[in-house]
Amino acid sequence: IFFRRYLGIAVGKSLFSPRMVTIDELFRELSGLRQADRIELLKVLYDCYLEVQEDVPGVERETFDRFIFWGDILLRDFDDIDKYLVQADKLLVNIRELKEISSGYDFLSPTQKEAIELFCAGFNPQHISVDPSDKKRMFLRMWDILLPLYRRFRNELQSRGLAYPGMIYRSVAENCDVSQLKERHRCVVFVGLNALNECEKVLLDKIGKEGFGDFYWDFYGEMVRNGYNRASHF
C-alpha cells in the first residue's frame, strides 16, 4: 500500500493482490484532468498574469524571472484554497475595500477578526507613501489581481485539460459521482488515514454513504491517543 501523508488506498476485488494507488492517483483518475508539472503551471500562470495586469491600473509588468518567486507562492496558495474548498471571492478580497469583516466571516474567531482588521488598517491608502518602491503599495497592487488571476488561471487550465493538485481535488469533491467508482470496484479500502483536507473528507464521506468503502484509521497506540501529543489532535 502506498502512502501520501500517511494516507493510502487499495482498490480491487482480489484479497491477495488488490490494485494499489495513492490518494493523489485516485483523485486524478476520478477528475479526468492531467496534472501539469511546476514549470508548465508557472508558464500558464505567468501568461494569465500578463493578461490580468493590463486590466488593473498601477500593476507593473514583471519579467518571468522576477515573477517566478511570486508564482511559486501563488501556486501554493491557490492549491490550499481549492483543497480546503475555500470561497476565493471571500478570501481574495481587495484589502482597501475590506472595511467590515464581521458579515460573511463567521468562521473567524473575534481574535482573528481583530488581527485582520489591524492588518488591513496598515494598508489604508492614506497611510501609504507615494514612493513607487513602497512595499505596501507593491503588495496592494499584487493583491488587486489575485482574484481575477485565480479565475483566469483555472479557466485556462480547464480549457487545456490541465490542473494543479488542488484544482483536481476540488473538481472531484464538487462534481464526482462515486456511483461510477462503485460500478468498477466491489470495495475500496482506505488505509492510514490522517490529517485529511476538506476535499478528501467529501470524497470519503460520499464513498462511505454509498456503502462500498472500508476505512482503517491510523489512531492506535498510546502516543497517538495522548492528548498532549500534537500529532494526535487530528
Side-chain angles (χ1 to χ4, degrees):
I1 294 172
F2 300 91
F3 293 94
R4 195 270 299 152
R5 291 191 295 102
Y6 300 103
L7 178 58
I9 173 174
V11 185
K13 296 183 178 180
S14 170
L15 177 63
F16 299 102
S17 58
R19 178 187 171 213
M20 302 182 197
V21 298
T22 65
I23 192 70
D24 288 337
E25 290 170 337
L26 175 64
F27 270 87
R28 288 198 296 270
E29 177 183 323
L30 294 175
S31 72
L33 297 169
R34 179 174 71 84
Q35 181 174 321
D37 60 38
R38 171 180 171 270
I39 300 301
E40 190 172 12
L41 288 172
L42 283 172
K43 180 60 172 62
V44 175
L45 182 61
Y46 180 67
D47 290 341
C48 293
Y49 157 77
L50 294 179
E51 296 173 3
V52 170
Q53 63 89 28
E54 293 180 353
D55 301 328
V56 180
V59 178
E60 300 175 0
R61 174 175 295 200
E62 296 277 6
T63 64
F64 183 70
D65 289 343
R66 288 173 56 87
F67 177 81
I68 288 177
F69 171 77
W70 284 101
D72 277 326
I73 295 175
L74 291 176
L75 288 179
R76 290 194 296 269
D77 289 345
F78 291 170
D79 193 66
D80 286 340
I81 286 173
D82 285 343
K83 282 185 176 178
Y84 288 89
L85 298 176
V86 175
Q87 296 182 40
D89 58 341
K90 284 192 174 183
L91 179 65
L92 304 178
V93 293
N94 189 324
I95 290 179
R96 286 175 292 197
E97 297 176 356
L98 188 60
K99 297 181 176 140
E100 179 56 61
I101 65 171
S102 58
S103 176
Y105 288 81
D106 296 334
F107 55 89
L108 297 174
S109 69
T111 301
Q112 290 172 324
K113 289 180 181 179
E114 181 180 358
I116 291 177
E117 288 171 344
L118 290 173
F119 172 77
C120 294
F123 287 90
N124 187 311
Q126 297 178 351
H127 300 160
I128 302 177
S129 72
V130 296
D131 184 351
S133 64
D134 188 288
K135 291 184 178 179
K136 288 185 178 181
R137 184 174 295 278
M138 292 175 64
F139 178 86
L140 275 177
R141 289 173 177 171
M142 198 64 185
W143 194 278
D144 283 339
I145 70 171
L146 288 185
L147 183 57
L149 179 58
Y150 169 80
R151 290 171 173 168
R152 183 79 61 92
F153 182 48
R154 284 176 52 87
N155 289 338
E156 181 61 29
L157 289 175
Q158 185 75 41
S159 69
R160 303 185 187 190
L162 301 176
Y164 50 89
M167 184 175 167
I168 290 174
Y169 272 58
R170 187 165 203 150
S171 174
V172 171
E174 294 179 342
N175 306 308
C176 177
D177 181 4
V178 295
S179 62
Q180 298 178 2
L181 184 64
K182 186 177 181 180
E183 292 175 357
R184 296 197 302 268
H185 305 288
R186 182 183 63 187
C187 181
V188 182
V189 181
F190 292 86
V191 180
L193 300 160
N194 181 47
L196 303 179
N197 60 50
E198 293 305 311
C199 292
E200 291 166 339
K201 292 178 184 177
V202 169
L203 178 62
L204 268 61
D205 185 56
K206 287 181 179 180
I207 291 176
K209 288 180 178 178
E210 285 288 331
F212 71 107
D214 198 1
F215 305 88
Y216 291 83
W217 302 92
D218 187 12
F219 59 76
Y220 179 78
E222 182 178 352
M223 286 301 296
V224 178
R225 289 182 279 108
N226 186 339
Y228 293 100
N229 177 18
R230 294 182 62 186
S232 69
H233 293 180
F234 292 111

